Amino acid sequence: MLKKLDIYILRKFLGTFIYSIAIISVIIIIFDISEKLEGFLKHHAPFSLIVKDYYLNFIPYLVNLFSPLFTFISVVFFTSRMAARSEIIAILGAGTSFWRLLYPYMVGAFLIAMMSLYLNHFLIPDANKTRLRFESTYVNNPSSNNSTNIHKQISPGVFIYMESFNNNMGYRFTMEHIAGQQLTYKLMAETVRWDSARKHWIIFNYFTRQINRDGTQKLASGISKDTVLNLNPSDFVERLDDVQAMNYKELNAYIDKKRMEGSTNIAAFQVEKDQRTAFPFATFILTVIGVSLSSRKVRGGTGLHLGVGLVIAFSFILFMQISTTFAAGGFISPIVSVWIPNFIYGIVAYFMLRAAPK
């Protein structure tokens, strides 16, 4: 009987989840089409690419984005209906413990969480590469690099500075080589330009100073010359969209690179990485809260359970957004910011679960 009961609950759980997530995805896609239709027509986007490159790669993002919330809604919806039909009372009256009743729910939450982990770290980043490339071609207007007061370490011991960089041109350029705490080489140039055809930099009106170990110096200057730098124009623009198109391995390498360069956005990138793991685990917490909340038969029925449940779920999501904002601002550690909502609501889930059998 217990095996059949497990299958019954698991089928209800996953069936309701798939049905609800499919409905919200269709609704969002319809609104997205109405919003982007003008851009599609303006840029003459082919219909096949709209479907294949954009929307087929947009669906995994939607499913993953709403999976914890709709896991919770699904649990509350079908469990409260079971409670209203006195099925929960009958199950517990037959000798099944409340903790044993929770087993198929945890199996369902595990399957959804593992799906979310895979989507977060591997499938969605690859899908985002194609989707974001489509958006930049057929939806958004091409943007140019425009940065000021740039300080970067482009390789160990090699530091560069630019007063500004715009449309492949850098102004007031300085490059320094430092060994330990000793300056060994310095280059200053009025302007630098990226040659996109030959993939290298050209420096103009430059002055160099080479400092030897014996303290002697060699000075040089010139009008222009080609040079190779471990630097590309794309390195001057740090967008979260780019990070969202990186899988787990690529994101780790990118964070290491930006840390070496001295980027000020490391916290935001670290939040993106840690959130990809913490967010799926919210599925377990919201599932436990959902079962504890909706397993009791009340006069308000499903509507009351859904109303209270939505307040809890949205407060959890709001708390997660606030905590990650503090981390991006450098106020708290990124890993603490993404896990503290799970920790706090995990405690709430524990006490609700203990009270539920009573």
Side-chain angles (χ1 to χ4, degrees):
M1 177 182 175
L2 288 178
K3 187 176 180 181
K4 290 183 179 179
L5 176 62
D6 293 338
I7 294 172
Y8 172 75
I9 293 176
L10 186 59
R11 188 173 66 245
K12 286 281 188 179
F13 185 0
L14 297 179
T16 307
F17 171 79
I18 293 171
Y19 179 73
S20 60
I21 206 79
I23 289 177
I24 194 64
S25 297
V26 169
I27 293 172
I28 291 175
I29 287 173
I30 290 172
F31 278 101
D32 191 72
I33 290 173
S34 65
E35 180 184 345
K36 292 187 171 65
L37 185 59
E38 182 179 352
F40 293 157
L41 296 176
K42 180 181 177 180
H43 295 93
H44 307 288
F47 178 77
S48 60
L49 294 184
I50 294 174
V51 175
K52 178 172 64 72
D53 286 2
Y54 186 70
Y55 283 109
L56 286 183
N57 290 303
F58 188 41
I59 290 172
Y61 170 78
L62 287 179
V63 170
N64 186 65
L65 179 66
F66 291 105
S67 63
L69 176 61
F70 278 88
T71 297
F72 181 76
I73 291 174
S74 301
V75 169
V76 170
F77 181 75
F78 85 83
T79 305
S80 60
R81 293 190 65 186
M82 289 175 62
R85 295 194 296 260
S86 300
E87 292 181 34
I88 300 293
I89 295 174
I91 293 170
L92 298 177
T96 302
S97 69
F98 192 85
W99 294 92
R100 179 61 183 82
L101 175 67
L102 198 63
Y103 175 75
Y105 288 95
M106 290 295 97
V107 172
F110 175 80
L111 294 175
I112 294 172
M114 291 303 102
M115 175 199 71
S116 184
L117 275 173
Y118 173 72
L119 290 175
N120 269 338
H121 286 294
F122 300 104
L123 182 61
I124 289 178
D126 288 339
N128 280 344
K129 287 183 175 70
T130 304
R131 180 174 65 87
L132 295 172
R133 186 166 58 246
F134 175 91
E135 282 188 338
S136 66
T137 304
Y138 296 109
V139 180
N140 303 322
N141 293 322
S143 58
S144 60
N145 297 331
N146 191 358
S147 304
T148 58
N149 294 323
I150 301 162
H151 297 262
K152 285 182 179 292
Q153 182 179 196
I154 60 175
S155 60
V158 181
F159 300 84
I160 63 106
Y161 167 78
M162 287 188 202
E163 185 178 280
S164 62
F165 184 82
N166 187 16
N167 292 328
N168 290 342
M169 286 291 294
Y171 303 90
R172 306 290 186 272
F173 175 78
T174 300
M175 180 173 66
E176 296 178 339
H177 293 199
I178 297 177
Q181 297 182 349
Q182 181 67 37
L183 176 66
T184 60
Y185 177 83
K186 184 167 185 175
L187 180 149
M188 294 181 291
E190 186 175 322
T191 57
V192 294
R193 179 171 63 84
W194 171 251
D195 188 333
S196 57
R198 293 186 292 173
K199 303 298 181 184
H200 67 222
W201 295 89
I202 305 173
I203 59 175
F204 300 94
N205 299 325
Y206 65 90
F207 171 84
T208 64
R209 181 160 63 109
Q210 179 79 43
I211 304 172
N212 301 316
R213 291 183 178 180
D214 58 6
T216 59
Q217 299 185 23
K218 181 180 179 182
L219 306 178
S221 62
I223 302 299
S224 70
K225 75 170 183 176
D226 296 347
T227 188
V228 176
L229 301 174
N230 184 27
L231 195 65
N232 285 296
S234 60
D235 294 332
F236 297 114
V237 180
E238 295 180 346
R239 299 181 305 176
L240 191 58
D241 284 352
D242 296 332
V243 176
Q244 291 172 349
M246 298 178 188
N247 60 34
Y248 182 78
K249 185 177 180 180
E250 292 168 341
L251 184 53
N252 278 332
Y254 184 77
I255 291 173
D256 290 340
K257 177 186 175 185
K258 291 300 176 182
R259 185 176 286 114
M260 181 199 71
E261 293 177 355
S263 171
T264 58
N265 290 329
I266 292 295
F269 303 146
Q270 194 69 45
V271 166
E272 170 68 18
K273 173 190 169 183
D274 294 334
Q275 201 171 34
R276 292 183 183 184
T277 301
F279 195 59
F281 279 89
T283 303
F284 293 101
I285 297 167
L286 292 175
T287 297
V288 171
I289 293 176
V291 176
S292 304
L293 177 69
S294 57
S295 57
R296 179 175 298 182
K297 185 176 182 179
V298 295
R299 184 171 296 177
T302 304
L304 178 62
H305 286 150
L306 280 175
V308 175
L310 286 174
V311 171
I312 295 174
F314 280 114
S315 69
F316 177 78
I317 294 171
L318 178 63
F319 186 22
M320 180 172 288
Q321 292 300 319
I322 292 173
S323 65
T324 54
T325 300
F326 276 110
F331 296 103
I332 57 176
S333 166
I335 194 167
V336 171
S337 73
V338 299
W339 282 100
I340 196 170
N342 284 349
F343 178 74
I344 292 175
Y345 277 79
I347 295 174
V348 173
Y350 171 75
F351 284 106
M352 289 184 68
L353 186 60
R354 287 194 61 180
K358 301 176 184 179

